[in-house]
């Protein structure tokens, strides 16, 4: 095989293999990233430096910044904003979810209410079924958001927990 020659496309059942490489993103604003760290270290401030960023705020934290932001009260509201972002692709270059931890909790509350159970781990739901329903809903909405073609920043807080080993030391 000559490394300088272009591959010839072959078709099967209506599918064709690609003959050209994809173009890499050319700015950081088009990237998908996670900003993770301790509280109050500047994750939201860093995300505010992205051009035309829109913040979906699941927790207060942007009041000291001049940013496009929307407080998100529940998962239904988040889904409505994803709908708007899919329809209006000429607004905003980067979407920031602050914080993704709380977004997941809101998704869990939504699924529990929709399915009529108290918690995904409840025995009457069935082993793992509740968590699978939450996971499916969460991935569905995140995929819809990512398909808008914008850069996406997920903000998450580090959590420090003390662990007690069975042998005694903490």
């Amino acid at each position: 095989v000559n490394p300088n020659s272009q591959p010839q496309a072959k078709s099967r059942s209506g599918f064709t293999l690609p003959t050209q490489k994809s173009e890499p993103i050319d700015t950081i604003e088009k990237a998908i990233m996670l900003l993770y760290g301790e509280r109050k270290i500047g994750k939201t401030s860093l995300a505010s430096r992205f051009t035309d960023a829109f913040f979906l705020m699941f927790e207060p934290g942007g009041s000291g910044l001049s940013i496009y932001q929307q407080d998100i009260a529940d998962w239904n509201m988040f889904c409505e904003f994803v709908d708007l972002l899919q329809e209006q692709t000429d607004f905003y270059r980067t979407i920031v979810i602050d914080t993704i931890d709380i977004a997941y909790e809101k998704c869990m509350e939504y699924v529990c209410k929709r399915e009529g159970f108290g918690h995904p781990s409840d025995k009457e739901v069935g082993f793992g079924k509740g968590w699978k329903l939450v996971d499916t809903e969460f991935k569905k909405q995140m995929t819809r958001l990512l398909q808008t073609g914008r850069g996406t920043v997920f903000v998450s807080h580090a959590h420090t927990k003390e662990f007690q080993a069975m042998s005694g030391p903490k």
Side-chain angles (χ1 to χ4, degrees), residues 22-159:
S22 61
E23 292 292 324
I25 61 173
D26 54 1
T27 68
I28 196 166
E29 278 94 358
K30 294 179 184 178
I32 299 167
M33 65 183 69
L34 170 67
L35 296 178
Y36 174 80
E38 299 294 331
R39 293 182 183 276
K40 309 310 275 175
I41 64 166
K43 298 178 297 294
T44 302
S45 294
L46 175 61
S48 74
R49 306 294 290 173
F50 284 75
T51 306
D52 296 329
F54 175 53
F55 286 72
L56 295 166
M57 302 297 287
F58 282 90
E59 69 174 11
S63 60
L65 300 168
S66 177
I67 55 176
Y68 298 106
Q69 64 178 310
Q70 176 62 53
D71 291 335
I72 303 295
D74 58 38
W75 192 249
N76 281 322
M77 187 177 188
F78 173 74
C79 295
E80 291 292 332
F81 274 95
V82 173
D83 290 344
L84 285 171
L85 290 166
Q86 283 188 315
E87 293 168 12
Q88 299 177 18
T89 56
D90 54 337
F91 288 29
Y92 316 116
R93 289 174 51 187
T94 304
I95 306 302
V96 181
I97 299 178
D98 194 345
T99 69
I100 195 67
D101 314 75
I102 298 174
Y104 188 83
E105 291 172 14
K106 296 292 185 185
C107 178
M108 184 177 70
E109 291 169 7
Y110 166 82
V111 171
C112 287
K113 185 176 180 181
R114 180 188 73 192
E115 299 297 324
F117 51 81
H119 193 271
S121 63
D122 288 351
K123 290 180 183 177
E124 65 271 7
V125 179
F127 182 75
K129 182 181 177 191
W131 288 112
K132 180 67 176 168
L133 290 168
V134 174
D135 186 58
T136 300
E137 173 65 22
F138 189 77
K139 286 178 180 176
K140 173 185 167 185
Q141 299 306 328
M142 291 303 136
T143 299
R144 290 179 62 231
L145 181 65
L146 295 173
Q147 288 174 337
T148 66
R150 297 172 174 94
T152 308
V153 178
F154 301 103
V155 176
S156 180
H157 294 304
H159 300 280

